[in-house]
Amino acid sequence: MLKVGDKLPKFEGINQDGISINSSQLLGKKLVIFFYPQANTPTCTVEACNLSDHYSTLTNAGLQVLGISGDTVKKQKNFHSKFAFPYDLIADENHEILEKFGVWQEKKTFGKTYMGIVRTTFIFDEQGICKRVIEKVTSKTAANQILEGIN
């Protein structure tokens, strides 16, 4: 998994509107990238809505926000539209971005082993250097977790 001090990996993804976003476009401002397992599932919805509810506080702190999951563009569009998120959601169906960040991992639930996304939030500075990794994301207070480490 990406660690503090690592550089923002080069990536390109398609957002909910079918527009390509690449990592170089995200430099110049502090950046929050949150990875979530699946659009429109209960815990992911709570996390994404918490970030949306506190979006102005996040942007006032100089942060830009980006969500990424392995969902299709259509699923991301539905999720984005349903909750009117003020930030982009990237569809990473082939898991290229997920793997670059190291969040596509083996998981276990009820004794069953499978590959999936480990809910993780990364915070980068203006130059694209990772300043913080939140591995134990609390969906209901995700924005507060991010803001706790911002100076």
Side-chain angles (χ1 to χ4, degrees):
M1 185 177 298
L2 210 67
K3 302 178 301 304
V4 170
D6 288 346
K7 235 178 150 20
L8 178 67
K10 290 190 187 312
F11 69 84
E12 189 167 344
I14 305 297
N15 78 359
Q16 71 283 346
D17 297 320
I19 297 167
S20 177
I21 294 177
N22 70 59
S23 52
S24 61
Q25 292 172 276
L26 304 170
L27 297 174
K29 269 181 112 174
K30 290 178 185 166
L31 172 66
V32 172
I33 300 180
F34 71 101
F35 289 90
Y36 58 99
Q38 192 174 357
N40 273 313
T41 55
T43 307
C44 295
T45 299
V46 168
E47 179 184 9
C49 287
N50 178 267
L51 294 173
S52 183
D53 292 345
H54 297 281
Y55 186 71
S56 62
T57 307
L58 293 165
T59 56
N60 288 341
L63 298 166
Q64 56 184 330
V65 179
L66 180 67
I68 302 177
S69 74
D71 292 300
T72 63
V73 171
K74 184 179 179 187
K75 276 189 174 180
Q76 296 289 40
K77 177 71 173 172
N78 291 342
F79 191 38
H80 194 272
S81 298
K82 184 176 180 180
F83 296 100
F85 294 134
Y87 49 78
D88 283 322
L89 300 176
I90 287 183
D92 186 26
E93 288 181 81
N94 58 15
H95 310 144
E96 277 181 29
I97 301 168
L98 302 173
E99 288 181 14
K100 285 183 179 188
F101 280 82
V103 297
W104 183 250
Q105 297 179 15
E106 191 173 274
K107 297 170 82 175
K108 277 187 182 172
T109 306
F110 305 115
K112 189 176 156 196
T113 303
Y114 61 97
M115 293 300 288
I117 297 171
V118 177
R119 184 183 313 280
T120 312
T121 300
F122 296 90
I123 302 166
F124 296 89
D125 69 10
E126 297 85 347
Q127 289 76 42
I129 304 299
C130 184
K131 291 299 180 187
R132 233 169 106 222
V133 179
I134 303 170
E135 292 185 63
K136 300 222 180 302
V137 176
T138 307
S139 297
K140 290 179 184 170
T141 59
N144 286 341
Q145 279 186 295
I146 292 163
L147 292 165
E148 280 169 13
I150 301 299
N151 24 9

